[in-house]
Structure formats: C-alpha cells, structure tokens
Amino acid sequence: MNTAYQTLIVKFSEPITALDGIFDDAEVWGTDTLKGWIDNYESSRFTAIGTHTAVITSEYNMAGVKLWLEKFTPITEKIEF
C-alpha cells in the first residue's frame, strides 16, 4: 500500500518552546506542546529540526493543520512538498 504524505517545513519567528505557551491549559487542549497538538491531529506528525523550525507531515489532514498554524502561530517561512 502506497501512502502519500504531505510535508510542510515551517520556520517560526519565535522558538517552538515559546509557542508551547499556547497550550497553557493542557486539560482543555489535551496536550501541553505544539508537537503534542499536531501529533494528536490524526495522521499528522511534528518533528523539530531546530529551535524555530519543524517538519510536519500528514497523510490527509495537512489542510486543517496548515490553516490552524497560519491563524495561531507566527510563521516566517513555509515550504510545502
């Protein structure tokens, strides 16, 4: 079975650890980190590759993940594959 994953490389203007502050109420969000939120989004994975940069992959939910990131996080650069 061939599964096509979409890939997004995102560079944030703030450190990823600072963005974790969005999830200040883990009980409400179900997580306390940006990685946890994206990893909990079905078929999606978040891998930090630097203090400000991450690779995000998703089998079929990239549109929703990307929309949320654009609305709630300070993105300075994004590359889609």
Side-chain angles (χ1 to χ4, degrees), residues 18-46:
L19 298 176
D20 290 342
I22 294 169
F23 307 95
D24 58 347
D25 189 344
E27 196 169 310
V28 170
W29 286 98
T31 186
D32 61 353
T33 65
L34 181 57
K35 175 181 175 38
W37 184 85
I38 291 175
D39 285 356
N40 286 336
Y41 212 100
E42 189 174 336
S43 87
S44 303
R45 294 295 171 258
F46 178 100

Side-chain angles (χ1 to χ4, degrees), residues 8-80:
L8 178 66
I9 298 175
V10 182
K11 183 173 184 178
F12 301 100
S13 63
E14 297 179 25
I16 294 167
T17 54
L19 298 176
D20 290 342
I22 294 169
F23 307 95
D24 58 347
D25 189 344
E27 196 169 310
V28 170
W29 286 98
T31 186
D32 61 353
T33 65
L34 181 57
K35 175 181 175 38
W37 184 85
I38 291 175
D39 285 356
N40 286 336
Y41 212 100
E42 189 174 336
S43 87
S44 303
R45 294 295 171 258
F46 178 100
T47 304
I49 59 171
T51 60
H52 290 69
T53 307
V55 175
I56 300 167
T57 58
S58 185
E59 183 179 358
Y60 51 82
N61 282 319
M62 186 61 82
V65 170
K66 190 169 70 170
L67 181 67
W68 189 91
L69 287 169
E70 290 168 347
K71 187 172 181 179
F72 295 106
T73 65
I75 297 172
T76 59
E77 183 180 357
K78 63 183 176 194
I79 302 168
E80 299 180 56

